[in-house]
Amino acid sequence: MRIFMDTANIDEIRRGAALGVVDGVTTNPTLVAKEGVQYRDRIMEICEVVDGPISAECISTEYDALVEEARRVAAWHPNVVVKIPMGEVGLQAIKTVSAEGIRVNTTLVFSANQALLAAKAGAAFVSPFVGRLNDAGHDGMEVIREIVAVFDTFNLPTQVLAASIRNPRDVTEAALAGSHVATLPPAVLFSMIQHPLTDKGIEIFLNDAKKYTPV
Ligand code: G3P
């Protein structure tokens, strides 16, 4: 499973990239607003740190404006994937720009039906929001499983990008569900490294290592 970081914080992205396990980055207007930067400037910085798909979200709500915005954002850098929210206008725009070779990450996906339509429109990725589905009393990981099953059944090339990940268990379950990608907040990524038994084991080894001459 590919691991993306779900943040626009460049310091956290640099820290994650240093692990050698980060395959891409996803951003959205909320994450960028937190940083107080211009969207394009931050995306260009991220593209210098992570050599992989970098999602940048389009916000236009009318078809012509959305298509023009997607073309403009896609031109920022070859690694940029444009994020387009699921919807009727969104699908029309996904169909248009995907046919032009622009990679689209369809965001705010909450059902297998939405994911199927996005895949048929040509999206490169679909982003089902697991955490928000769970917050609303649904089974977010079941939606991931359904989408993976539908895509596998019909050999659809669109990749499932599990989003709205809230804890390390979500990562394990997304992997078990067959999600192609999971995009992780920095705190989730870094907490995956830790385990109390690892810490305890290191402590014991270091104490015992004092009993012999260092190698
Ligand atoms: O990539 C989408 C993600 O940032 C949404 O996460 O926690 O706001 O539902 P969350």
Side-chain angles (χ1 to χ4, degrees):
M1 184 172 78
R2 290 199 288 173
I3 288 178
F4 291 2
M5 289 185 78
D6 193 34
T7 181
N9 183 289
I10 195 67
D11 294 329
E12 296 281 21
I13 293 169
R14 287 197 180 99
R15 184 184 170 204
L19 297 174
V21 300
V22 175
D23 302 302
V25 177
T26 55
T27 69
N28 62 42
T30 302
L31 294 173
V32 173
K34 283 179 186 175
E35 303 302 317
V37 296
Q38 291 303 310
Y39 209 149
R40 182 181 183 282
D41 294 343
R42 183 47 49 93
I43 290 297
M44 299 308 284
E45 286 183 275
I46 295 170
C47 288
E48 292 305 309
V49 177
V50 175
D51 183 17
I54 310 298
S55 288
E57 189 150 348
C58 299
I59 57 169
S60 301
T61 56
E62 301 298 322
Y63 171 79
D64 290 335
L66 183 53
V67 168
E68 192 282 328
E69 183 182 10
R71 289 168 178 161
R72 189 170 69 249
V73 170
W76 288 352
H77 190 281
N79 285 352
V80 166
V81 175
V82 297
K83 254 188 176 182
I84 295 178
M86 183 66 201
E88 187 168 346
V89 170
L91 281 173
Q92 294 168 4
I94 292 165
K95 184 70 175 177
T96 299
V97 302
S98 295
E100 297 171 1
I102 292 173
R103 288 184 297 170
V104 176
N105 176 1
T106 306
T107 190
L108 289 167
V109 168
F110 295 95
S111 73
N113 284 340
Q114 287 181 321
L116 175 58
L117 293 175
K120 287 180 63 65
F125 299 94
V126 293
S127 289
F129 279 31
V130 174
R132 295 192 192 183
L133 279 161
N134 293 340
D135 292 346
H138 304 291
D139 184 342
M141 214 50 78
E142 181 59 21
V143 174
I144 297 288
R145 283 188 285 272
E146 288 179 348
I147 297 170
V148 168
V150 168
F151 284 15
D152 285 352
T153 299
F154 297 100
N155 296 314
L156 296 175
T158 303
Q159 299 217 316
V160 181
L161 196 169
S164 190
I165 296 294
R166 300 284 173 76
N167 54 64
R169 186 64 202 166
D170 284 347
V171 184
T172 304
E173 292 196 16
L176 290 170
S179 189
H180 303 95
V181 188
T183 191
L184 318 184
V188 172
L189 172 63
F190 299 124
S191 66
M192 284 170 68
I193 301 169
Q194 309 302 324
H195 193 289
L197 291 178
T198 302
D199 297 341
K200 184 64 178 170
I202 290 173
E203 182 184 352
I204 291 170
F205 285 163
L206 291 178
N207 284 334
D208 288 343
K210 294 172 185 171
K211 300 168 186 170
Y212 57 76
T213 307
V215 295

